[in-house]
Amino acid sequence: SNVANPRLFGGGTGAAPMTHQPNMVKRSRLAVSSAPRPFGGDELEASRFGWLPLLSLTIASGLMLVAIGDLAARNANAWAPAALWIGLGVMLVPVAIRVSDASISRRESLALATVLALGFYLVKILHSPTSFTFSDEFFHWRSVIDVVDTGRLFQPNVLLPVISAYPGLASVTAAIVHMSEATPFLAAVMVIGCARLVLTWSLFLLFWQATRSARLAGMASLVYMANPNYLFFQSEFAYESLALPLGAATLTFLVREDGEPDRRLRVAYRLTWLVTLAAVLVTHHMTSLALVAFILLLLVVECIQRRRVALRSVLVPAALIAVVGASLWTGLVATRAIGYLRPVLRGAGAELGTLATDASAPATILDTITAPAREVRDDTRAPRRQLFRNFANELAPLGERIIGMASVPAMVFVLPFGLWQVWTRDRRAVNLALGAASLVYPFTLALRLTRLGAETSNRASEYLFVAMALVAAIAIERYVLVSSKRLGPMLFAAWISVVFAGGVIVGWAPWARMPGPYRISADSRSVEPQGIEAARWAARVLGPSHRLIADRIQMRLMGTYGHQWPVTLHTDRVNVAEVVFAETIGKQERSFLERGRVEYLVIDRRISAGLPLTGVYIEQGEPDTFTKVRPLAREVLDKFDHLPGVDRLFDNGAIQLYDVGVLARAAPQ
């Protein structure tokens, strides 16, 4: 048997016996002589829910505190963030204490992980309970609109063209809209909610297959929830939020088939991971790459263990199908993905190289903690970024900076101990592959010190935490819980609270965690009734599909609520920001309007009141992207009121819509 003894990792009562018994008599055609059934067990264990009812109540209480905090944030009350943090703590800490108990059953551990995962998903829903507000959600909402309206996939996405090459999310959501007549928002909530369940169950089963311990599977599931993107980004209506659960399911059923002696079950597992693998390939580019990379890593580890190419292993056809499928889809359908990812990765690498030669870079971390909140940035054009300081020069509170900095070494410190346990106690291929993947995480941390690489590092965490969660759980179980059975669960709860809170702080800006008053170019904080009404007016009066120029937020609103076609640098190769930022409309600006066939212009005069929190007013590629030190002049936005032939068609006090077709038609030839 290639299955390890469950006692090696200190499995509790939820761990089923795994000793190989070659003379075991099969009681039925589905009986397995070597490996136990996942989630199986005797009737006593199956009926045990332990603390689930009580802890479900505490999670609900935490959600109530979060809802109160969101209401306070909408009223701009200063104590709102405290309610959010207390609510999250009430949800997380009791569950962490319970899942680290040696007596927990497999069913209770899975149930607690599921309820907590859904509770964290509801935190995002409470943030925006009635409509889309997060930036990426508008891109995918537009794809759903196009599929519903036309009945066809691969429709050009005017907000983010690469999305049209990955129609998995749009097709599923549009199908629900058609079948149930639900709104796209309600359908999106259901799709991502189901995806959250698939992710939780898949990871729990993967961790349990690796350790055969209910306690370790529950602990690892909670550690994964501490990754910086879990609370908000992975709850968005975005293709990654669906592809990642499907990728986790692929790995889980692939690993399960590799150790399954029953032929019929192997066929069932193979059909399952083939379907989920295909779904990943047509849903998201980065998840496809990550999945292919890990399957190849798993195959390499198994070949090294056997000291030969394991041609009969299920990993060989899996790796072949994954590589060929991803290559064909990218090369034939999603060619835009290459051009979309190349600048990000190239820019991050270039900045990292520059940072490596900067002698003052190590001082950045100390400055991050000690810098006063009102200190003005120096050398804003350097690739080095000051951590916890946004593009409007606002510094996070000292407490958040300390916890955010502490969470990284808290996670990195336990990895060597977990890796040692894997190496000395259970060297199965899945454990070694996860251990090897966890080694990548420390190298991604350097990217956080660069402007372009920070997002790359942040996005990588949701993949790498699959590996790190298991390694960290093994280390804590062996060196903390075994050594101190009474105090150990408390220490685990304290440790994961720091890692979780630090992940939220690092992964999501303070102004974005809760709703509130309007902020400039602040994604969810900039989506408000005036902008929505302007977009709806455009759809009602102008009709759909008119080409227009708008700022970052109005571009999203006009492209969804307004059914318009925003002209952008990345979609139409027209630098529309030059038209908005120019002091006068001259020959060059008119040529931009003519090339983009621009009919209308949307101006939100509120953007001139301060710096953009996301670093740009319109889009990346505009002048001084991420390096602005002074707000846009109000006179620059007022110039359209004085241009002959330009008519103001709409004005609600903050947002104006102009007919600028005469400027495009009058462009010099």
Side-chain angles (χ1 to χ4, degrees):
S1 173
N2 64 342
V3 180
N5 193 308
R7 298 182 183 277
L8 293 180
F9 286 128
T13 59
M18 296 187 55
T19 305
H20 181 51
Q21 300 180 22
N23 297 323
M24 178 181 292
V25 178
K26 294 184 179 181
R27 289 175 293 179
S28 70
R29 297 182 65 183
L30 295 179
V32 180
S33 61
S34 57
R37 280 290 165 271
F39 307 108
D42 54 34
E43 293 182 0
L44 178 62
E45 179 185 335
S47 64
R48 289 181 58 191
F49 281 102
W51 291 15
L52 177 62
L54 177 61
L55 294 183
S56 297
L57 181 61
T58 64
I59 292 173
S61 301
L63 282 172
M64 182 181 67
L65 291 174
V66 172
I68 293 173
D70 286 340
L71 179 60
R74 291 185 178 93
N75 295 322
N77 291 321
W79 53 269
L84 172 66
W85 287 117
I86 294 174
L88 293 175
V90 169
M91 297 170 67
L92 176 64
V93 172
V95 175
I97 293 174
R98 178 55 185 165
V99 298
S100 58
D101 192 295
S103 65
I104 194 169
S105 69
R106 192 161 58 243
R107 176 175 289 246
E108 182 187 355
S109 184
L110 174 60
L112 287 176
T114 301
V115 175
L116 184 60
L118 291 178
F120 284 153
Y121 177 59
L122 289 176
V123 171
K124 186 270 177 185
I125 300 300
L126 290 173
H127 181 289
S128 308
T130 60
S131 61
F132 298 111
T133 59
F134 288 18
S135 179
D136 288 3
E137 293 181 325
F138 289 94
F139 303 150
H140 298 279
W141 180 17
R142 178 57 192 250
S143 287
V144 174
I145 292 173
D146 292 336
V147 174
V148 171
D149 289 345
T150 65
R152 298 178 180 179
L153 301 178
F154 304 106
Q155 297 300 305
N157 189 298
V158 300
L159 297 179
L160 189 62
V162 71
I163 290 178
S164 62
Y166 293 93
L169 178 63
S171 62
V172 172
T173 309
I176 294 178
V177 172
H178 276 299
M179 291 187 296
S180 64
E181 297 185 357
T183 64
F185 176 76
L186 181 57
V189 170
M190 291 189 287
V191 169
I192 303 304
C194 291
R196 175 60 61 93
L197 289 176
V198 172
L199 178 64
T200 305
W201 295 339
S202 298
L203 290 181
F204 184 93
L205 180 55
L206 178 65
F207 296 144
W208 187 83
Q209 288 175 164
T211 63
R212 293 304 197 267
S213 167
R215 176 164 70 172
L216 277 173
M219 290 172 59
S221 297
L222 263 63
V223 175
Y224 180 79
M225 296 179 194
N227 86 71
N229 289 332
Y230 187 84
L231 188 62
F232 290 111
F233 185 77
Q234 288 183 241
S235 299
E236 287 186 343
F237 178 60
Y239 48 10
E240 195 165 348
S241 301
L242 177 61
L244 187 56
L246 293 172
T250 302
L251 288 179
T252 299
F253 286 103
L254 183 61
V255 171
R256 183 57 184 161
E257 181 193 349
D258 199 36
E260 177 58 57
D262 188 277
R263 180 178 176 275
R264 289 190 298 177
L265 287 178
R266 286 202 306 271
V267 172
Y269 291 143
R270 178 165 298 190
L271 291 176
T272 303
W273 67 253
L274 280 173
V275 171
T276 55
L277 173 59
V280 171
L281 296 180
V282 302
T283 302
H284 187 234
H285 40 75
M286 285 303 300
T287 305
S288 300
L289 294 177
L291 181 59
V292 170
F294 188 80
I295 292 175
L296 291 174
L297 175 62
L298 197 58
L299 177 60
V300 169
V301 170
E302 186 168 301
C303 291
I304 292 175
Q305 278 189 322
R306 298 185 182 186
R307 298 182 179 180
R308 60 184 176 84
V309 178
L311 296 178
R312 294 187 177 182
S313 172
V314 66
L315 296 175
V316 174
L320 182 62
I321 293 171
V323 171
V324 173
S327 301
L328 289 177
W329 188 265
T330 304
L332 299 178
V333 180
T335 54
R336 287 180 179 268
I338 300 174
Y340 174 71
L341 296 174
R342 184 189 295 118
V344 178
L345 299 178
R346 180 184 297 172
E351 287 188 349
L352 187 60
T354 304
L355 183 66
T357 61
D358 186 356
S360 64
T364 300
I365 297 179
L366 181 62
D367 292 343
T368 295
I369 300 178
T370 60
R374 295 185 178 180
E375 178 184 339
V376 178
R377 294 172 299 190
D378 56 354
D379 192 14
T380 58
R381 297 182 183 275
R384 185 186 69 205
R385 62 185 287 262
Q386 287 186 291
L387 305 179
F388 307 107
R389 187 186 292 276
N390 63 31
F391 295 108
N393 199 34
E394 298 172 349
L395 192 64
L398 179 61
E400 289 195 5
R401 282 178 274 158
I402 294 175
I403 295 176
M405 295 297 298
S407 66
V408 174
M411 191 70 192
V412 173
F413 177 76
V414 302
L415 293 182
F417 298 97
L419 291 171
W420 176 253
Q421 290 298 312
V422 170
W423 182 256
T424 58
R425 292 178 174 271
D426 192 348
R427 298 184 188 177
R428 279 181 297 162
V430 61
N431 292 331
L432 291 177
L434 289 171
S438 69
L439 295 174
V440 179
Y441 175 70
F443 296 97
T444 66
L445 297 176
L447 291 173
R448 294 187 180 274
L449 299 177
T450 66
R451 298 187 189 280
L452 296 178
E455 184 175 1
T456 302
S457 176
N458 194 45
R459 297 286 182 93
S461 63
E462 59 202 71
Y463 303 107
L464 296 177
F465 258 71
V466 175
M468 294 191 298
L470 180 65
V471 176
I474 291 173
I476 293 174
E477 191 274 341
R478 182 64 181 176
Y479 294 101
V480 177
L481 300 180
V482 173
S483 302
S484 179
K485 295 183 178 180
R486 292 185 178 181
L487 189 59
M490 298 289 186
L491 294 176
F492 171 68
W495 175 85
I496 198 173
S497 295
V498 172
V499 176
F500 176 82
V504 175
I505 291 169
V506 170
W508 212 249
W511 48 264
R513 296 172 202 152
M514 307 185 77
Y518 173 85
R519 300 293 303 273
I520 300 171
S521 189
D523 291 344
S524 61
R525 290 288 296 275
S526 301
V527 177
E528 42 72 56
Q530 286 180 292
I532 294 174
E533 178 55 33
R536 286 175 171 166
W537 180 91
R540 184 173 63 252
V541 177
L542 302 181
S545 301
H546 290 286
R547 300 175 67 85
L548 53 78
I549 293 176
D551 63 80
R552 174 186 173 89
I553 303 303
Q554 300 309 316
M555 185 189 306
R556 287 155 173 76
L557 297 178
M558 287 290 172
T560 50
Y561 286 102
H563 294 260
Q564 305 303 317
W565 185 294
V567 179
T568 66
L569 174 62
H570 300 289
T571 303
D572 303 277
R573 300 294 186 267
V574 178
N575 196 343
V576 298
E578 295 287 355
V579 177
V580 178
F581 294 165
E583 295 183 0
T584 60
I585 299 297
K587 179 179 179 180
Q588 183 178 13
E589 290 74 26
R590 289 173 183 265
S591 67
F592 286 148
L593 294 172
E594 192 273 337
R595 285 167 49 197
R597 293 175 285 124
V598 177
E599 301 173 70
Y600 300 101
L601 173 72
V602 181
I603 292 294
D604 186 344
R605 280 181 165 77
R606 293 173 295 182
I607 66 175
S608 64
L611 294 173
L613 290 178
T614 56
V616 296
Y617 288 111
I618 297 179
E619 59 180 332
Q620 293 188 28
E622 70 183 37
D624 299 327
T625 295
F626 303 142
T627 61
K628 292 177 175 59
V629 295
R630 60 180 57 87
L632 189 65
R634 178 63 178 265
E635 294 76 15
V636 170
L637 302 180
D638 292 339
K639 65 178 178 289
F640 298 99
D641 289 323
H642 312 294
L643 294 176
V646 174
D647 295 326
R648 185 192 300 182
L649 304 181
F650 175 88
D651 189 341
N652 64 10
I655 301 168
Q656 291 80 42
L657 188 147
Y658 297 89
D659 182 349
V660 295
V662 65
L663 299 180
R665 292 189 295 271
Q669 300 299 322

